Amino acid sequence: MYPGRLCSTLRDSGCDASTTHERGDTLMSKKIGWIGLGRMGEAMVTKLLKAGHAVHVWNRTASKAAHLAEYGAKIETNKIDLASCDVVFTMVSTTDDLKEVLFGPGGLVTGAKKPQVVVDSSSISQEGSAEIRAQLEGMGVGYLCTPVSGNAKVAKAGKLLTVSSGPKALYEQVEPYLQAMARKVMWVGEGELARIWKIAHNTMFGVIIQNLCEITVLAEKAGIPRNVFLESINDSVLGSMYTRYKTPVLSNLNFDQVTFTPKLLLKDMDLGMSAAKAHGVPMPSAAATRESIARMVGHGHDNVDFAILLQETANDAGLQIKPLNLQIPDGLSS
């Protein structure tokens, strides 16, 4: 079946006692495909290209892919042209988007030739992912869920975490490609468990930004300069990569530098609440955050960074906040 197919093609790269040098040569000879070049997809595929892998790319808006040719990418006109690849990565916005690029007209697996493995890094539902797995595996195509932690800036800095689920043998075969894009890679189990991980991760993501905005407005209204308060949080036991890389935008209010939109965050909060209902887990803080994010979306904040929640929170508190226009490190540069 699919793990065996991939293992047979990569057997010289780790399924037997071949040398590390031979393993590297074999990995580099494999043809990789990539579908979806949004902020995250573009950053991740650039890492693969810079690591020396041969990557064929397709994006709905072809102009977004053109510059990758400078790094050696082969730009494909049609999705189905990637079907001859050994491994195809996908990074799209929704479950429906993923179904469309795979099974829709001219989709990746709609022709006679099919890729050996699809590795999906989109944020989609557990149920939708299971449907896609059943369809792909029914065609003899391997399927691995591999969502990530981090935004495009994190990806460009080489500090992503990838978390995979699906057949363990399949994960072990694609692991070297994941390592080219991330600081750490993990396998959490079979089936769609990585989807649950991502849903839990992004639900926490929303709750943290909600609370961070609330306490930052509290501190500023009480008299602590915003940048000073954020610096203190970053250097406390509560500080994290997340709080550090959001500090520049929260200080300077440059919400036009988009990493993640309010609509996408709302989608993920809804996935979190749906999963909580399905598993019988009460999540009161997540529920309150979901309503706050929905309110922000209702105010028409579309093509801006979700950190505009700080402005919304300040408005609710009767506090007028202004950009500080400071040079503040985001903690991602080495």
Side-chain angles (χ1 to χ4, degrees):
M1 196 61 178
Y2 50 89
R5 287 180 60 198
L6 183 63
C7 191
S8 67
T9 61
L10 295 183
R11 194 168 299 281
D12 291 338
S13 69
C15 290
D16 60 20
S18 58
T19 65
T20 301
H21 179 72
E22 290 171 334
R23 182 174 188 266
D25 286 347
T26 304
L27 285 168
M28 291 301 179
S29 72
K30 297 304 167 187
K31 186 177 174 183
I32 302 173
W34 194 285
I35 292 176
L37 294 169
R39 286 178 289 270
M40 281 298 297
E42 187 273 339
M44 291 171 70
V45 77
T46 299
K47 282 290 182 182
L48 271 177
L49 290 163
K50 288 183 175 180
H53 294 290
V55 187
H56 294 239
V57 302
W58 179 88
N59 192 62
R60 182 176 287 109
T61 305
S63 60
K64 291 184 178 180
H67 71 286
L68 292 173
E70 299 174 13
Y71 299 104
K74 173 68 168 63
I75 314 300
E76 300 290 1
T77 304
N78 303 300
K79 300 182 288 292
I80 201 168
D81 293 335
L82 299 178
S84 61
C85 293
D86 297 289
V87 181
V88 176
F89 289 85
T90 52
M91 173 65 92
V92 295
S93 296
T94 68
T95 303
D96 288 342
D97 290 331
L98 183 56
K99 289 179 178 179
E100 175 66 22
V101 299
L102 293 175
F103 311 117
L108 177 67
V109 296
T110 57
K113 184 173 289 187
K114 294 176 176 56
Q116 296 162 8
V117 185
V118 170
V119 181
D120 180 62
S121 295
S122 312
S123 295
I124 67 173
S125 70
Q126 183 180 14
E127 296 78 11
S129 184
E131 291 176 17
I132 290 166
R133 178 182 301 282
Q135 283 187 260
L136 288 176
E137 291 182 351
M139 299 175 179
V141 178
Y143 179 64
L144 201 68
C145 308
T146 304
V148 303
S149 174
N151 60 24
K153 287 185 177 181
V154 175
K156 289 175 182 178
K159 296 185 178 181
L160 285 181
L161 164 70
T162 71
V163 175
S164 301
S165 68
K168 182 70 177 293
L170 198 60
Y171 167 74
E172 290 173 348
Q173 301 313 309
V174 303
E175 186 177 6
Y177 305 121
L178 301 176
Q179 289 173 336
M181 297 182 284
R183 63 181 172 84
K184 183 171 182 177
V185 301
M186 297 178 65
W187 179 79
V188 294
E190 300 287 340
E192 319 314 315
L193 286 177
R195 302 300 187 191
I196 288 293
W197 174 86
K198 180 63 172 178
I199 289 168
H201 173 279
N202 279 20
T203 301
M204 182 176 178
F205 181 85
V207 171
I208 291 175
I209 194 64
Q210 175 72 39
N211 187 248
L212 184 60
C213 288
E214 290 172 356
I215 62 172
T216 299
V217 168
L218 171 62
E220 184 166 0
K221 192 168 186 181
I224 303 175
R226 189 160 72 249
N227 62 302
V228 173
F229 177 73
L230 288 166
E231 180 183 352
S232 73
I233 290 295
N234 291 337
D235 289 331
S236 76
V237 296
L238 301 175
S240 66
M241 185 189 301
Y242 181 38
T243 65
R244 289 184 183 90
Y245 75 61
K246 295 313 293 184
T247 289
V249 68
L250 292 175
S251 297
N252 297 324
L253 311 185
N254 45 351
F255 305 122
D256 57 332
Q257 296 181 12
V258 183
T259 61
F260 199 60
T261 66
K263 280 187 176 180
L264 287 176
L265 181 54
L266 179 60
K267 179 204 75 171
D268 287 350
M269 295 303 297
D270 284 339
L271 287 174
M273 297 313 299
S274 177
K277 182 178 180 180
H279 291 277
V281 178
M283 297 204 303
S285 60
T289 297
R290 189 267 170 205
E291 294 308 305
S292 176
I293 303 301
R295 181 167 175 264
M296 179 169 59
V297 171
H299 287 174
H301 297 304
D302 295 332
N303 298 313
V304 294
D305 192 79
F306 67 95
I308 200 169
L309 181 60
L310 180 72
Q311 183 74 67
E312 292 282 293
T313 306
N315 292 343
D316 288 344
L319 175 68
Q320 183 178 5
I321 57 175
K322 298 179 180 180
L324 300 179
N325 300 319
L326 299 172
Q327 291 294 322
I328 298 174
D330 59 12
L332 297 176
S333 302
S334 51

